[in-house]
Amino acid sequence: MSPLKKLEIDILTLFPGMFTGPLGESLLQKAQAKGLLKIRLHNLRDFSQDKHRKADDKIFGGGTGMLIQVEPIWRALKYLGAFKKGKSRPCVVYLSPQGEKLTQDLVKDLARNKRLILLCGRYEGIDERAMSWIDREVSIGDYVLTGGEIPAMVLTDALARMVPGVVKEQESVENDSFYDGKLDCSHYSRPAEFMKMKVPGVLLSGNHKDIKEWRKKDALEKTIKKRPDLL
Ligand code: 4H7
């Protein structure tokens, strides 16, 4: 028996319908079909005790906007076993613009968990009292979005790639841009010449040592030119 490392992700959101497209296609779909990845969507409204299934409310002290209430979050986290003690406790991640910036290193770190709960912020965010149950607050970059759902999809995609077997060649995961802190080298496919633009000869030479050296140099040059901050 192969040691299947499965990743389980529970997503808490007011808009579960937003996820069906991205998670139901391509690699993420295949990973779920193979049992390598289990994604469960939960509507925060289902954890509301309000007769209208409301999970948001006005902000104390006045001002515009609404907040996700503390009680539905608490009920949802309790239901998902977030308050249990021990190793089986899932890691609770809150997607917000105030979080730690998502990088490949953070993805690798989070991928060490067997179970993750992703809480998607909406409106002005969550009641501050819910912050005590959050293990990691993560932002996908310094820009403003309408909700944490797209960040949760971004994180889910990046995490799924780290599960052995999801990406066909594990080598390709490790050779990717950012994995070793540099950009990827240039790639070419047929035809060898298009409108007088030629593929670098070395790549057609069949000399694997030369090709490896060329790629290393190309990746370095690219990084210097496009993202010197990475070096
Ligand atoms: C939590 C708290 C993530 C979630 C506040 C979420 C950007 C990111 C949100 C907010 C997000 C990111 C409240 C911030 C309304 C914007 C106008 C949802 N935006 N909101 N504000 N960079 N928005 O990862």
Side-chain angles (χ1 to χ4, degrees):
M1 267 257 292
S2 66
L4 274 188
K5 189 207 168 275
K6 176 167 154 194
L7 178 64
E8 294 182 46
I9 303 177
D10 286 284
I11 301 176
L12 286 173
T13 169
L14 286 167
F15 299 96
M18 283 182 72
F19 291 84
T20 47
L23 301 186
E25 298 277 345
S26 181
L27 270 192
L28 293 187
Q29 177 52 43
K30 282 187 197 135
Q32 290 179 85
K34 282 195 238 169
L36 297 172
L37 180 67
K38 179 86 205 134
I39 301 169
R40 286 176 291 251
L41 289 162
H42 309 274
N43 193 332
L44 269 170
R45 284 168 162 276
D46 294 341
F47 299 93
S48 160
Q49 291 207 308
D50 177 85
K51 59 176 181 292
H52 305 295
R53 305 207 313 138
K54 234 167 63 83
D56 61 309
D57 208 342
K58 303 187 289 287
I59 297 173
F60 274 132
T64 51
M66 303 289 271
L67 216 55
I68 300 182
Q69 290 171 286
V70 64
E71 184 167 340
I73 294 173
W74 180 78
R75 285 186 182 287
L77 291 179
K78 191 167 155 67
Y79 169 79
L80 294 174
F83 302 128
K84 286 203 187 118
K85 301 275 172 279
K87 261 184 66 187
S88 67
R89 197 180 74 80
C91 177
V92 182
V93 179
Y94 175 45
L95 286 312
S96 107
Q98 291 169 22
E100 180 183 350
K101 190 102 59 82
L102 186 64
T103 61
Q104 193 62 38
D105 281 337
L106 180 51
V107 171
K108 280 190 237 174
D109 198 22
L110 290 173
R112 299 204 312 222
N113 292 285
K114 273 211 275 297
R115 278 192 67 204
L116 289 151
I117 297 174
L118 309 186
L119 173 61
C120 306
R122 272 273 155 183
Y123 314 122
E124 301 314 307
I126 60 178
D127 186 307
E128 193 65 26
R129 290 167 292 185
M131 285 306 292
S132 55
W133 311 317
I134 306 296
D135 297 304
R136 308 287 289 255
E137 190 173 5
V138 173
S139 162
I140 63 164
D142 290 336
Y143 39 83
V144 179
L145 301 167
T146 54
E149 282 76 12
I150 290 172
M153 291 180 220
V154 168
L155 179 56
T156 298
D157 189 288
L159 286 167
R161 296 184 72 261
M162 303 306 290
V163 179
V166 169
V167 174
K168 238 183 263 144
E169 299 86 4
Q170 190 60 26
E171 191 198 329
S172 108
V173 171
E174 279 153 40
N175 283 344
D176 264 324
S177 299
F178 301 123
Y179 196 95
D180 64 356
K182 268 202 268 15
L183 296 183
D184 204 357
C185 64
S186 312
H187 302 293
Y188 300 85
S189 74
R190 285 186 294 179
E193 186 176 336
F194 182 72
M195 299 205 306
K196 301 242 162 70
M197 295 182 290
K198 290 195 173 101
V199 172
V202 57
L203 298 178
L204 311 173
S205 71
N207 184 327
H208 295 293
K209 188 171 155 279
D210 287 357
I211 292 172
K212 204 172 163 192
E213 258 166 46
W214 183 90
R215 287 186 168 152
K216 199 172 163 193
K217 187 164 163 273
D218 186 74
L220 185 61
E221 283 171 4
K222 248 187 148 138
T223 311
I224 291 168
K225 196 164 154 229
K226 297 192 187 183
R227 291 292 307 276
D229 58 296
L230 290 177
L231 295 169

